[in-house]
Amino acid sequence: MPSAAANSAAVNSSPTTISSSSLPEATTLGSVNDGHSFVNAFVQDNPYFQAGFGLMVVGVGLTALRHGITLGSTALRRRMLVTLEINNKDRSYEWFLTWMARQTAAQARAQKRWAPWARSHQLSVETTVEQRKNGSSSALFKLVAGPGTHYVQYKGAWMQVKRERETKSMNMMSGTPWETVTLMTLSRDRNLFSELLTEARDIAMRGQEGKLVIHTAWGTEWRPFGQPRQKRPLQSVVLGSGVSQTIENDLKAFLDRRQWYADRGIPYRRGYLLHGPPGSGKTSFIQALAGSFSYDICVLNLSERGLADDKLFHLLSNAPERSFVLIEDIDAAFNRRVQTSEDGYQSSVTFSGFLNALDGVASGEERIIFMTTNHPEKLDPALIRPGRVDLMQLIDDATPEQSQILFDRFYRETDTPNSLPASELQKLSKRLGDVVKHEAQLGRRISMAALQGLFIRNSAKDAIASCQNFFIDRQPELKHDKH
């Protein structure tokens, strides 16, 4: 019996051992089922979850996760990226847009596989219209990166460029919208920003090197007008004997005495008035003089729409460095104050305001002003007193010497099959001088502009034969004392 009981126990223990070996698997499956049951019971049977509290907790968790990702990405951007903002009030704004147009074009040619991706597809056009004195005009178009996102590569580093325009906020003076360009690249490449701007500046200056830049007033700002022009040699403007040297020597002396003015507390500014009949070469000489001294010219029209005393003060006090301020026909600027245009507009620059802008308490320094007039006798003595006009110079009609010099430059310096022998040209030149002298004794004068137009259209013989038709009756101007 004992042995049978033992055998029975052994037999019964075997199933128990097998069951216990499969227990972990059963327990695991049971745990998974229990977990699903718990979640289902919590979602379906929990009154708080069904009431919306559970969804609120899930939403809060997702929001926290989203904010965490945002903060993390912001911190990562601050750590790894750097941005540079340039607004359209800064001079480097135009420089950068011009540089970017050149850079993207060169980049597209060098890397053709990246060309469709890197090339700017959002463009803006900048149109410049140049109106010439003879009535003709020309328009130049320049395509630059427009508002939007662009990509450019510079010295191996990719940069993201965003140009943004604020249409709801505009510059009240000029009427142009505020614009900004934002550059973004890796923080390790932040030094490339200064190199990029330096290169953009050099490209802009290189385009103006050896040329004359004309600025015009745009609201309270000076902006380049048209394309830079070739400098005109000072010797190409033929004036009366000693006239050019007088003005040139006075200007040189002024530029060399900056410290002398400062030591004596004298405002460092100079005013010139060139007067004479139309076509005598006043404006042409100022342009040539500016080119000779590597100065620009800022053309100021006192009858411009919207120009008032306060804007005039601002413009004269903030003229670009190394520039002449040119005010033409100053005698007509204030004689038409009572006249209005068809739409009722009337210029609001007052004569007293103009005088204060020239040498008042709020007037700027380091300034050179050139004024021109055909009728100096109409000018108020308050305008031409020393301090406002420091040098008055007559630019008169053609003298016999001037006419002969201009004739020789037109016909003797050409080497064409139909050119006349030097001896015959010399006789024609002397004959022209005699004609000019004789007509002057009769009170008839001819301007240098008329002679130039005559020489452009005719041969040497024809010009001499028809020159008497261009003389007009004109009383010689009264000589004004030089201050």
Side-chain angles (χ1 to χ4, degrees):
M1 293 298 294
S3 60
N7 292 334
S8 176
V11 172
N12 291 336
S13 64
S14 178
T16 302
T17 303
I18 295 173
S19 298
S20 72
S21 64
S22 61
L23 183 60
E25 182 180 357
T27 303
T28 302
L29 293 174
S31 300
V32 173
N33 292 332
D34 291 344
H36 284 294
S37 300
F38 175 77
V39 173
N40 292 334
F42 181 80
V43 173
Q44 298 177 2
D45 301 335
N46 193 312
Y48 295 100
F49 191 89
Q50 292 181 351
F53 292 106
L55 294 177
M56 181 183 67
V57 172
V58 173
V60 170
L62 293 177
T63 302
L65 180 62
R66 185 182 63 185
H67 281 291
I69 295 175
T70 302
L71 293 175
S73 63
T74 302
L76 187 62
R77 286 166 60 92
R78 290 180 178 178
R79 181 68 177 175
M80 299 185 62
L81 301 177
V82 60
T83 60
L84 173 67
E85 182 182 275
I86 310 173
N87 61 62
N88 60 343
K89 295 288 291 182
D90 194 273
R91 295 187 63 183
S92 60
Y93 183 83
E94 297 294 338
W95 298 346
F96 173 77
L97 291 181
T98 303
W99 173 90
M100 185 175 174
R102 295 166 56 102
Q103 184 74 8
T104 51
Q107 177 179 304
R109 291 192 299 267
Q111 301 180 3
K112 294 184 178 180
R113 61 171 182 165
W114 294 105
W117 179 77
R119 186 185 298 119
S120 296
H121 294 274
Q122 297 167 303
L123 302 175
S124 291
V125 61
E126 293 183 356
T127 306
T128 302
V129 179
E130 182 177 357
Q131 190 74 31
R132 302 183 181 90
K133 291 186 177 181
N134 60 4
S136 63
S137 62
S138 61
L140 299 174
F141 304 97
K142 181 172 65 173
L143 297 180
V144 297
T149 303
H150 314 269
Y151 295 91
V152 64
Q153 189 181 33
Y154 179 67
K155 293 187 176 181
W158 282 100
M159 296 182 181
Q160 183 189 72
V161 181
K162 285 187 178 181
R163 183 180 180 186
E164 298 174 326
R165 177 177 297 165
E166 181 57 55
T167 56
K168 296 182 180 179
S169 177
M170 293 191 176
N171 187 337
M172 300 303 297
M173 296 294 186
S174 61
T176 57
W178 297 107
E179 294 186 4
T180 57
V181 169
T182 304
L183 286 70
M184 183 172 63
T185 188
L186 294 176
S187 181
R188 67 179 184 182
D189 299 323
R190 64 171 60 234
N191 294 331
L192 294 180
F193 286 152
S194 59
E195 298 179 16
L196 185 153
L197 294 178
T198 301
E199 182 176 321
R201 179 204 61 194
D202 293 342
I203 291 175
M205 294 297 102
R206 196 179 306 130
Q208 300 176 2
E209 186 176 356
K211 296 183 179 180
L212 176 67
V213 179
I214 306 296
H215 301 266
T216 56
W218 186 273
T220 58
E221 300 177 359
W222 292 103
R223 293 190 179 181
F225 177 76
Q227 296 297 314
R229 307 177 183 182
Q230 293 292 338
K231 292 181 180 180
R232 182 173 181 174
L234 192 59
Q235 296 77 13
S236 66
V237 183
V238 183
L239 300 182
S241 177
V243 173
S244 177
Q245 291 77 11
T246 299
I247 303 175
E248 186 178 2
N249 293 338
D250 184 88
L251 183 57
K252 284 182 179 179
F254 170 73
L255 295 176
D256 293 339
R257 302 174 73 186
R258 179 190 297 267
Q259 190 60 43
W260 186 90
Y261 277 77
D263 294 339
R264 288 157 180 78
I266 303 174
Y268 188 64
R269 49 179 176 252
R270 195 75 172 167
Y272 296 88
L273 175 65
L274 306 186
H275 59 96
S280 55
K282 298 182 292 295
T283 303
S284 299
F285 175 72
I286 295 173
Q287 293 181 2
L289 189 66
S292 176
F293 283 85
S294 296
Y295 268 60
D296 296 337
I297 293 180
C298 297
V299 180
L300 180 60
N301 181 12
L302 297 180
S303 301
E304 183 181 354
R305 177 186 297 271
L307 185 63
D309 289 346
D310 55 344
K311 294 182 180 180
L312 179 63
F313 271 93
H314 187 83
L315 287 171
L316 291 182
S317 300
N318 294 274
E321 295 181 359
R322 298 186 63 83
S323 62
F324 297 159
V325 178
L326 174 59
I327 306 175
E328 296 188 277
D329 298 324
I330 189 65
D331 59 286
F334 300 100
N335 290 340
R336 296 178 294 182
R337 293 296 93 188
V338 296
Q339 297 183 4
T340 58
S341 59
E342 296 179 356
D343 57 357
Y345 166 74
Q346 183 175 359
S347 178
S348 56
V349 174
T350 63
F351 183 67
S352 60
F354 177 64
L355 295 181
N356 290 328
L358 290 180
D359 69 342
V361 176
S363 60
E365 295 195 14
E366 300 188 10
R367 187 186 62 208
I368 301 174
I369 292 183
F370 278 88
M371 294 179 284
T372 66
T373 179
N374 298 329
H375 304 283
E377 69 279 358
K378 296 182 180 180
L379 299 180
D380 193 296
L383 173 62
I384 59 178
R385 71 162 177 80
R388 291 171 180 158
V389 173
D390 301 292
L391 176 65
M392 292 180 60
Q393 181 63 56
L394 172 64
I395 310 293
D396 210 347
D397 283 320
T399 64
E401 294 78 11
Q402 285 178 269
S403 60
Q404 288 184 251
I405 293 174
L406 190 65
F407 179 89
D408 293 342
R409 289 185 178 177
F410 264 84
Y411 298 110
R412 285 193 176 181
E413 296 179 0
T414 59
D415 186 14
T416 61
N418 297 326
S419 61
L420 298 175
S423 58
E424 189 170 353
L425 287 175
Q426 186 176 3
K427 293 179 181 179
L428 292 175
S429 177
K430 186 178 183 304
R431 181 182 172 186
L432 175 63
D434 294 338
V435 171
V436 173
K437 182 178 181 180
H438 176 72
E439 294 291 334
Q441 293 174 350
L442 300 177
R444 291 165 53 82
R445 317 287 293 274
I446 187 170
S447 68
M448 294 296 290
L451 280 176
Q452 179 174 287
L454 179 65
F455 296 158
I456 291 175
R457 297 188 300 269
N458 298 277
S459 63
K461 287 185 177 181
D462 293 339
I464 299 301
S466 60
C467 67
Q468 287 184 328
N469 298 328
F470 293 87
F471 285 85
I472 60 175
D473 293 327
R474 182 181 295 163
Q475 293 296 327
E477 282 199 53
L478 296 176
K479 305 296 182 179
H480 288 260
D481 295 334
K482 301 174 186 178
H483 298 296

